[in-house]
Amino acid sequence: QVQLVESGGGLVQPGGSLRLSCAASGFIFRLSDMGWYRQAPGAQRELVASITTDGRTNYADSVRGRLTISRDNVKDTVDLQLNSLKPEDTAVYYCNAKAFRLWGQGTQVVVSS
């Protein structure tokens, strides 16, 4: 089955950390650039981090220095480490496989005291 499945979301206090994971199946993972997007209530979906097939990364200005994207082409996973979280990071986070135009179902992150 061709799919992306995210996990790791939850409720965290400001300043805390979370690690999101996206597991890919049913396609050749190493052939696709991967991205993490997020969508806050009432807002458009935005790209927060991406990683190319050869490991080059890019980040949105709003998260640079706090989020880290990584991939494992053996396990077919792409992770997003979120540190120093702020209330404005609250959103549903989605994994994307660019080459295959594939999206996961999303995982909710809530940053609140």
Side-chain angles (χ1 to χ4, degrees):
Q1 186 174 2
V2 178
Q3 64 179 358
L4 296 171
V5 179
E6 301 99 333
S7 61
L11 173 64
V12 62
Q13 292 186 343
S17 297
L18 281 175
R19 188 173 185 88
L20 309 183
S21 186
C22 173
S25 60
F27 64 96
I28 304 175
F29 177 78
R30 68 179 184 278
L31 296 183
S32 181
D33 294 347
M34 300 296 297
W36 279 97
Y37 290 71
R38 69 185 181 188
Q39 188 167 18
Q44 290 188 335
R45 192 172 296 189
E46 62 173 349
L47 176 66
V48 294
S50 62
I51 186 165
T52 63
T53 55
D54 60 353
R56 287 173 288 126
T57 59
N58 193 35
Y59 298 93
D61 289 343
S62 60
V63 305
R64 187 171 290 111
R66 300 189 297 117
L67 273 59
T68 304
I69 189 171
S70 60
R71 67 187 297 161
D72 186 326
N73 288 340
V74 174
K75 296 181 180 179
D76 291 355
T77 58
V78 56
D79 291 353
L80 187 68
Q81 178 68 40
L82 300 85
N83 296 328
S84 303
L85 282 163
K86 305 175 182 180
E88 52 263 44
D89 294 318
T90 294
V92 179
Y93 285 71
Y94 296 91
C95 178
N96 170 257
K98 183 177 180 180
F100 301 94
R101 300 181 182 180
L102 188 61
W103 293 90
Q105 83 288 350
T107 186
Q108 177 76 56
V109 172
V110 177
V111 184
S112 175
S113 56

